[in-house]
Amino acid sequence: HYGDTDTAIRFNGDDTITAETGGSERLRIDSGGRLLLGTTTEGHAAGDNLTVADAGNSGITIRSGTSNNGVLYFSDGTSGSAEYRGAVQYNHTDNYLSARH
């Protein structure tokens, strides 16, 4: 990043990787393997693998085709139907949200 003094990737001493833009930390992977976006503090212990934060509105976008589905899957295994035990799906063709299991 030659000449860009407010952008950096850092490897600090506590087994953490950070990325900075505009002079502010934007992303952190901490020593527990948690991904933190817009924050240095993990979320609730039962859901702290990915934490997204902002001082204003905050969210995650799943973008799919206009005649396709956007899906969030829930898994309790790594093969077969255990990879998709449950799901929340948005159907763009008919514009509705549904739970699948």
Side-chain angles (χ1 to χ4, degrees):
H1 64 86
Y2 178 76
D4 189 353
T5 59
D6 62 354
T7 302
I9 296 174
R10 301 193 191 281
F11 304 89
N12 60 23
D14 60 351
D15 296 323
T16 298
I17 300 168
T18 63
E20 301 172 8
T21 62
S24 296
E25 182 177 312
R26 308 296 183 179
L27 176 142
R28 172 179 290 241
I29 301 173
D30 71 8
S31 60
R34 295 175 290 231
L35 176 59
L36 311 174
L37 300 173
T39 184
T40 59
T41 306
E42 69 279 357
H44 187 277
D48 65 351
N49 303 88
L50 169 63
T51 302
V52 178
D54 197 310
N57 296 327
S58 183
I60 299 171
T61 299
I62 299 173
R63 180 173 290 121
S64 54
T66 57
S67 60
N68 298 96
N69 300 320
V71 185
L72 178 62
Y73 288 99
F74 298 88
S75 169
D76 61 3
T78 58
S79 64
S81 64
E83 289 186 304
Y84 52 90
R85 291 284 185 215
V88 177
Q89 172 181 292
Y90 188 82
N91 178 302
H92 286 285
T93 301
D94 297 318
N95 294 318
Y96 68 87
L97 184 68
S98 64
R100 295 179 18 189
H101 51 86

